[in-house]
Amino acid sequence: MDSNNKYYILAFVGVVVGVAALLLWPTDDAGTGSQNIQDLKSLIPGESFKGKVKVYSKVTGQTFGAHQVLLDKVKSMSRSVTVETTEDLHESHVVIAFCPITSRVGSDVEAAMTDITGSCGQKPVILVLMHHTRDVEYSTEGRRWSDLYHSVVLDVHVLFHETKSGLLMCPKNDQAAGRLQQELQKHADKNRLNIQENHEGSKSESGGRDQQEMDFNNNKYYILVLIVGVVVGIVVYRLLLRPTEEEARFIKNLSNVEGAEMDSVKLICEVSKPSADVTWYKGDEELPEGGRYDQIVDGKRRILLIQNLKMDDAGEYYCKLSPSITTSGNLKINELVAEFISKPHNQEVGKGEKAEFTFFISKENYQVRWMKDEKELEEGDKYQIISDGKRRTLYIRNCDPKDEGGYVVMIGPNEASVNLTVEEEARFIKNLSNVEGAEMDSVKLICEVSKPSADVTWYKGDEELPEGGRYDQMVDGKRRILLIQNLKMDDAGEYYCKLSPSITTSGNLKINELAAEFISKPHNQEVVEGEKAEFTFFISKENYQVRWMKDEKELEEGDKYQMISDGKRRTLVIRNCDPKDEGGYVVMIGPNGASVNLTIEEEARFIKNLSNVEGAEMDSVKLICEVSKPSADVTWYKGDEELPEGGRYDQMVDGKRRILLIQNLKMEDAGEYYCKLSPSITISGNLKINELAAEFISKPHNQEVGKGEKAEFTFFISKENYQVRWMKDEKELEEGDKYQMISDGKRRTLVIKNCDPKDEGGYVVMIGPNGASVNLTVEEEARFIKNLSNVEGAEMDSVKLICEVSKPSADVTWYKGDEELPEGGRYDQMVDGKRRILLIQNLKMDDAGEYYCKLSPSITTSGNLKINELAAEFISKPHNQEVVEGEKAEFTCFISKENYQVRWMKDEKELEEGDKYQIISDGKRRTLVIKDCDPKDEGGYVVMIGPNEASVNLTVEEEARFIKNLSNVEGAEMDSVKLICEVSKPSADVTWYKGDEELPEGGRYDQMVDGKRRILLIQNLKMDDAGEYYCKLSPSITTSGNLTINELAAEFISKPHNQEVGEGEKAEFTFFISKENYQVRWMKDEKELEEGDKYQMISDGKRRTLYIRNCDPKDEGGYVVMIGPNGASVNLTVEEEARFIKNLSNVEGAEMDSVKLICEVSKPSADVTWYKGDEELPEGGRYDQMVDGKRRILLIQNLKMDDAGEYYCKLSPSITISGNLTINELAAEFISKPHNQEVVEGEKAEFTCFISKENYQVRWMKDEKELEEGDKYQIISDGKRRTLVIKDCDPKDEGGYVVMIGPNGASVNLTVEEEARFIKNLSNVEGAEMDSVKLICEVSKPSADVTWYKGDEELPEGGRYDQMVDGKRRILLIQNLKMDDAGEYYCKLSPSITTSGNLKINELAAEFISKPHNQEVVEGEKAEFTCFISKENYQVRWMKDEKELEEGDKYQMISDGKRRTLVIKNCDPKDEGGYVVMIGPNGASVNLTIGKRSS
């Protein structure tokens, strides 16, 4: 019977018994059984024995569904209470607040409870604090929140994480769920009692049964039966109604997946419950966690990640919830295709021989297929197919012509093709090619035959070539070589190589003829007497002696001559040259020579001395001398001081003339000037300067001053250092208490101190005979006629303080308090007639105060200035800050005013400076610094500017820490591994280290963040990755773990080969293994070899080598190299020592030719070394060391003279032979060739060349006709020098000339120029008034004379005009330009040969020297405004009210030199106002005031 049915029957029996007792047992006289039934209803389990509680849940953050998992868990645990969730807050009995902790516990709880208290009123609250972590040991110790919040009846802590199905499976969470269930039980019980009380109250109100005490003694049996029935019913009911937790199941099965070898793959399924645990299997074997397997939980998803896939990972995988609940999926691995490391090569074998095709692939256990004619080959008598590690070989036995053709080897889809050739009769497999060689050189003709043993015969045309002499016929394997040495021009032609009369190949030989020359030749030299001369040139050979000749005698090294050889460079140095050393020198290279000429010049001297010169101040002057040599350099001095080039000094060279031009002369330029060729060769001349008389630039003006004041008369003169005289009443004034006379540059001033009426009258200033008059008026003392008033202004605004004085000319001084105010900046002191105005701009608060205007210390007026301050404003406000506990927080804002106080507030209290707070004012910047922040500092802060405020918030975070440390891990070489730790904050940054070195991000290192987990993935592990790894939150907060690497065994990449060496030689066995740092062992006769005199063992990367030194027959035999348990065998054969069986012979060769030294050894494999004297010869370059069977050949090409000597061929230091090489020197030809010439009509032309032999005739040709000596031509032979002179040249002589030396010739060209002409015309030029300008043209002949004109007038030489010659350039320099210099200028070679250019002068603008002054006149008088300008002939314009004034009855305009005057006649009030005088765009303003005439 089903167990549930048993429970139902028991429950039924218990209930029946209880009900029967109620029905049959009388309760009292008036009662009936029906009332017992009513009483029973309240005891039925569904209504009275099981309580109910309604829960309203409030979630304050992200829980990843963990709160619902917890709620479901509590519901499933509650047997005696029904937990219902409701969205209606008012009908709920209790509120459960789920509060995820995201920053600090205190701030997060405070935020949650503020929200709950505001919305949930007085409802009881269960506070669930949810900690985001995967650490089941995470500490949740803290305060009891029910002590702080009276509505909190219970607070519990739970742990959750999104990777662990939300809620962690841990005792802490189980305890929290139990406490929750108990608290809800309390609220259910309370709710049930409330319902029963309401029920009992309703019975008494409806007039039900009296509530008298039951007599339990009378009813004890009834009670006993009732209790038994109820207990049985409750037990059964609770068993039946216990919620049976649904068993977890798969809601998404595993799928079949596919992956590539060495790649990664994921198998994924889904379960119905996030908390369900699964186990992974491959077949029947449970999979471990870690290594290449990573088991991941992602909500309901279960993931198996397999990395670095191998072929044996393929198969069926299972994920099991229980033995009976399982899902499976198949993993298929796609094998990586092997690749070719090396490919096989074509083979050529003789009939009946065995062919072998070998190559290497990238994978060992990988099958290849061999194909021929698209059919796969099979192992048998014909074919043998071998796999040895990564080596693959195909052997084809007993080859015949049917085996010929193409073979293909297949690796998956990849293939490689090879060809097999089976030879019968010998044939040419590579024909002769056409070749080219240089005369005297060597050349090889090469072909290839199909059989190494085949004999050939060589022919040139129809003639068979002999063996020996210049022909060397060589055999090198299948190659057949004809070496022809010391090539001659008649060696050119067709050559044949024949296997038989019908089997032949041919190639053509072309010979390039050689010519020998100098690399460079020495040049003629011209030196000054006493100097050193050097002749240098280069030759084509380094170690070759030259001879220097003069007057047919060879020069010798000594005091006079030094001969230098430096590589290919040759130099003759002639010391301390004098006229006896002049003449021709010849340098000889064997029979060839080159000629040069030495010219000795006398020392330069002056041939025309300097003259004394005179010039006017401000003018220009030239000092001129002449030297004996146009190239001579001179230095100019004034006294002992060298003159600079440039500025006012222009140092010019005109042929032999040396010119010093001094411009803009000053008085201090006068003195003695020197021109020096050397310290001892010098000349001098004196310069005298005529001073210009000074003139008035401006004159002094009449002055009107008050009594006791000082008067100043100022004017300007044209010269600075010039004395003036002041006169009054025809007496010269003297410096003293009354008068002060000031000279400042060109400014002259008379100061009259403490003026009184006796000082009135006329004054005269004299400049030489010239004078200027002025008048002084002394007035009474000025006074104030209107005082200053008090004024008021706003900060940043402007304000004026105004008073009036009795005299328009009165000067005042402004003061603030005792301090005199400056003119300018924010203060503007203005005069407006009699008004005196102080304008103060951009008012500041400290501008407030008392201001004074003073005519004198005793005559003053004052007024007060009041400033209304502006309120400050925010320019920028502070921002919220988030800092880590213990750090410093800074709130900064900017306000509109610097000196303005702000207040910082927290919780409505003003903060004060101290240990906690620092309050900083810096200009307009205001900063609050909160030191050493802790959670109590969190919250809102306010900064106040007057009534304005700005709010900010401070958040203080806890410092991050490690909540799970790194563990030691282990991995296999080439594999991947993870190092994992956990931090307390998801946002915390960490740094990874190996030892002391920070690890980079990327490459083999992958640094990952997974919530609070910090992961370092290291891929493709290497042995040196092993060691200690550190993860650091800060230098002091760190965790570490050790990584161990398990090394992979090494393998053979290639194996060593058998060796055969000669006795006494060294043997070398080399192979490659798969790992660099791996030891191997060498064995012989089962004994391990040791390093020493006999054996050397080398490890170089993956290369391993065994050297066996000084081999003898005892070393023969087998050797084995071991890599771990694996080995490879090789064999060593030691042959007897080689010897010479044919010695070297003495040989002879010509310079630039080739030669062979040949000997024979007893063994074809013997190695020899070639020496010249004691020096070993290199292989390559001009040396070709060849092996031809037993013959050993040294071919030396492009022979040089220093190649001569004794040569040695050595088998060993003691086995050697030698032969001597003699070199025959060659002859040469041309030394230098003639050069093209260009002469002027009527001049003579000379063509000169040098040849290598003296007694040799040359022929000169023109238009293919030989020239003859006569009136036109002179032909000169001088030693090795040959010259053709062509006299009185005219255009008919132009053209090409040829000089012939035997069959060789050299060509030159003669150009005859006509009459001089302009080759560059004058250009238009432009210059500024008072400046200098040059007009330049070029003539075809340096000696041509020109004449300069302006218009039709020839220009003189001198003054402002300087006519200069610079080679072919002709220059006209015009100085101190004037406006009338503008016009057309001409340069003439003749009346018909001329060039012209226009000169434009830009006028200088005039400027004010002094400006006119304001005038005050009485009505009816005349007014005069006078100014001075910088130019005399320059018009000015006078303006009033923007209209130009015209000369007439009212206005008179006067121009007098540089003085300009406006006279206004008969002034009346209409003439008052402003006047302007204009000089071009520039103007000056003045004011006219008309006073009323006194009655």
Side-chain angles (χ1 to χ4, degrees), residues 171-182:
K172 191 182 293 291
N173 285 351
D174 294 338
Q175 293 169 12
R179 293 182 63 198
L180 272 172
Q181 191 273 333
Q182 292 171 10

Side-chain angles (χ1 to χ4, degrees), residues 691-707:
E691 186 174 13
L692 293 177
E695 299 177 355
F696 281 103
I697 294 176
S698 68
K699 293 182 179 180
H701 298 286
N702 296 334
Q703 295 291 322
E704 184 175 331
V705 299
K707 184 178 178 181

Side-chain angles (χ1 to χ4, degrees), residues 222-255:
Y222 160 71
I223 293 171
L224 179 61
V225 172
L226 181 60
I227 289 172
V228 171
V230 170
V231 169
V232 172
I234 288 172
V235 171
V236 174
Y237 178 80
R238 292 187 66 177
L239 288 171
L240 289 175
L241 297 186
R242 179 192 300 169
T244 56
E245 189 174 345
E246 183 189 2
E247 193 170 20
R249 67 187 190 281
F250 288 103
I251 57 176
K252 185 175 179 182
N253 289 323
L254 288 175
S255 301

Side-chain angles (χ1 to χ4, degrees), residues 767-822:
I767 308 177
N770 302 319
S773 300
V774 289
N775 194 68
L776 173 63
T777 303
V778 181
E779 294 186 352
E780 294 181 17
E781 194 170 21
R783 69 186 186 281
F784 286 105
I785 58 177
K786 183 177 180 181
N787 289 322
L788 288 175
S789 301
N790 295 335
V791 293
E792 189 171 335
E795 187 180 11
M796 304 298 293
D797 209 347
S798 299
V799 74
K800 285 181 180 176
L801 292 99
I802 303 173
C803 60
E804 263 185 68
V805 295
S806 60
K807 296 172 65 176
S809 60
D811 291 326
V812 301
T813 309
W814 288 93
Y815 289 82
K816 180 173 185 269
D818 296 330
E819 185 177 353
E820 183 177 347
L821 296 178

Side-chain angles (χ1 to χ4, degrees), residues 1218-1263:
S1218 66
N1220 189 270
L1221 172 59
T1222 302
I1223 309 295
N1224 298 318
E1225 190 171 5
L1226 289 178
E1229 296 181 359
F1230 262 107
I1231 293 174
S1232 69
K1233 295 179 179 179
H1235 299 286
N1236 295 334
Q1237 296 292 324
E1238 184 174 333
V1239 299
V1240 177
E1241 187 174 2
E1243 293 180 350
K1244 81 176 173 184
E1246 285 191 13
F1247 295 105
T1248 297
C1249 63
F1250 289 84
I1251 60 176
S1252 59
K1253 294 185 174 181
E1254 292 189 357
N1255 301 316
Y1256 200 91
Q1257 294 302 314
V1258 303
R1259 294 180 300 138
W1260 292 93
M1261 314 287 289
K1262 188 176 190 295
D1263 300 330

Side-chain angles (χ1 to χ4, degrees), residues 86-355:
T86 178
E87 294 182 359
D88 186 349
L89 175 64
H90 297 293
E91 71 173 15
S92 65
H93 302 123
V94 65
V95 175
I96 301 181
F98 296 94
C99 177
I101 305 304
T102 59
S103 58
R104 290 181 60 253
V105 176
S107 57
D108 289 342
V109 171
E110 181 182 358
M113 289 307 297
T114 301
D115 185 21
I116 292 166
T117 304
S119 61
C120 300
Q122 297 303 313
K123 294 278 185 180
V125 176
I126 299 174
L127 182 60
V128 181
L129 289 87
M130 306 184 69
H131 301 273
H132 183 265
T133 180
R134 286 187 294 191
D135 182 7
V136 297
E137 300 298 326
Y138 184 80
S139 174
T140 58
E141 295 298 322
R143 68 186 302 172
R144 289 174 55 87
W145 295 102
S146 56
D147 296 340
L148 183 61
Y149 301 100
H150 300 301
S151 58
V152 175
V153 295
L154 174 68
D155 55 271
V156 297
H157 297 264
V158 297
L159 311 179
F160 77 107
H161 198 274
E162 65 272 19
T163 62
K164 299 296 183 182
S165 305
L167 203 65
L168 268 59
M169 302 283 288
C170 64
K172 191 182 293 291
N173 285 351
D174 294 338
Q175 293 169 12
R179 293 182 63 198
L180 272 172
Q181 191 273 333
Q182 292 171 10
E183 184 63 32
L184 292 175
Q185 179 72 56
K186 293 177 185 177
H187 290 280
D189 293 341
K190 183 178 179 181
N191 183 42
R192 186 175 68 247
L193 289 174
N194 289 337
I195 294 171
Q196 289 176 350
E197 288 172 2
N198 291 337
H199 177 63
E200 294 296 330
S202 64
K203 286 196 295 181
S204 63
E205 289 171 7
S206 63
R209 182 182 306 163
D210 293 334
Q211 299 299 316
Q212 298 178 354
E213 186 177 341
M214 184 182 291
D215 185 355
F216 284 99
N217 293 325
N218 295 331
N219 298 297
K220 58 184 178 181
Y221 296 109
Y222 160 71
I223 293 171
L224 179 61
V225 172
L226 181 60
I227 289 172
V228 171
V230 170
V231 169
V232 172
I234 288 172
V235 171
V236 174
Y237 178 80
R238 292 187 66 177
L239 288 171
L240 289 175
L241 297 186
R242 179 192 300 169
T244 56
E245 189 174 345
E246 183 189 2
E247 193 170 20
R249 67 187 190 281
F250 288 103
I251 57 176
K252 185 175 179 182
N253 289 323
L254 288 175
S255 301
N256 295 336
V257 292
E258 191 170 333
E261 186 180 10
M262 304 299 291
D263 210 346
S264 299
V265 76
K266 287 181 181 176
L267 291 98
I268 304 173
C269 60
E270 258 183 73
V271 294
S272 60
K273 297 173 66 177
S275 60
D277 291 325
V278 300
T279 310
W280 289 92
Y281 290 82
K282 180 173 185 262
D284 296 331
E285 185 177 352
E286 183 176 347
L287 296 177
E289 168 64 35
R292 295 190 303 113
Y293 300 103
D294 198 356
Q295 300 177 21
I296 307 168
V297 173
D298 181 13
K300 295 181 178 180
R301 294 202 310 163
R302 298 298 181 267
I303 304 168
L304 175 64
L305 171 64
I306 309 174
Q307 304 174 67
N308 190 20
L309 288 171
K310 301 180 179 179
M311 290 307 296
D312 51 11
D313 285 329
E316 199 73 15
Y317 286 77
Y318 298 87
C319 184
K320 297 186 179 185
L321 282 162
S322 69
S324 60
I325 304 175
T326 184
T327 178
S328 67
N330 188 270
L331 172 59
K332 178 183 176 184
I333 308 295
N334 297 321
E335 187 173 11
L336 290 180
V337 177
E339 298 178 355
F340 285 101
I341 294 175
S342 67
K343 295 184 178 181
H345 298 287
N346 294 334
Q347 296 293 323
E348 185 174 329
V349 299
K351 186 175 179 180
E353 294 179 349
K354 175 172 77 173

